[in-house]
Amino acid sequence: HALAVCTLATLSSAPALAQSKIDLDLYKTPGWELVLGPFALHWSNSDEHTYVVLLGFERAQADGFIWGFSAFRNSFGQPSAYAYYGYRWDNLFDIPELYFKLSGGIIYGYKEPYEDKVPFNHNGFGLGIIPAIGWRLTSKDAVQVGALGTAGLIFTYNRRF
């Protein structure tokens, strides 16, 4: 829970920043991001929930479009994956550190008896839409919070290279 508190504290400090040191020109060129998700927060408590961990790679295009792949252990301990396409809005509300992402794609891994946890799931393949808000700590490092439908939130660290 410490990561969640740190993330929220960082995001809430936006108005206190006098001048940004984030180089947004870096985000006008294509690049890769490593995505590490060490923690998920569930809206409901269940004895079936296990520790969630995520590792992904994301390609950011100069025009704001993104695509990527994440492998993760889902809330029920099953190996899972998410292949997606989406868009990133930078400099949200004229705050260079703040951005918003919306991605949609195919999720694999939610199998019996948890196949009903993902919409339109068939043989472990389902659909996912993930809105996320992020805060750039530096020009290459960011923290991000993604909404996982009615299940909860995923907290990630993103490193651009």
Side-chain angles (χ1 to χ4, degrees), residues 27 31-35 56-58 101 158-161:
Y27 291 88
W32 286 96
E33 287 190 13
L34 172 67
V35 182
F57 288 97
E58 181 173 284
K101 287 183 184 178
N158 299 30
R159 172 70 177 178
R160 187 172 177 102
F161 58 95

Side-chain angles (χ1 to χ4, degrees), residues 24-35 56-69 84 88 90 101 136 139-140 158-161:
L24 284 178
D25 287 339
L26 179 65
Y27 291 88
K28 294 178 184 171
T29 60
W32 286 96
E33 287 190 13
L34 172 67
V35 182
F57 288 97
E58 181 173 284
R59 179 68 175 177
Q61 300 301 119
D63 58 5
F65 286 96
I66 57 171
W67 55 270
F69 177 83
Y84 61 91
R88 183 193 68 237
D90 291 314
K101 287 183 184 178
R136 291 194 176 91
S139 293
K140 293 189 174 191
N158 299 30
R159 172 70 177 178
R160 187 172 177 102
F161 58 95

Side-chain angles (χ1 to χ4, degrees), residues 82-105:
Y82 178 51
Y84 61 91
Y85 187 78
Y87 193 82
R88 183 193 68 237
W89 289 267
D90 291 314
N91 201 23
L92 201 58
F93 307 115
D94 287 326
I95 302 170
E97 292 84 1
L98 191 61
Y99 64 89
F100 178 80
K101 287 183 184 178
L102 183 62
S103 67

Side-chain angles (χ1 to χ4, degrees), residues 118-140:
V118 174
F120 308 106
N121 194 344
H122 182 70
N123 292 330
F125 289 91
L127 299 177
I129 297 175
I130 301 178
I133 191 160
W135 183 262
R136 291 194 176 91
L137 303 170
T138 70
S139 293
K140 293 189 174 191

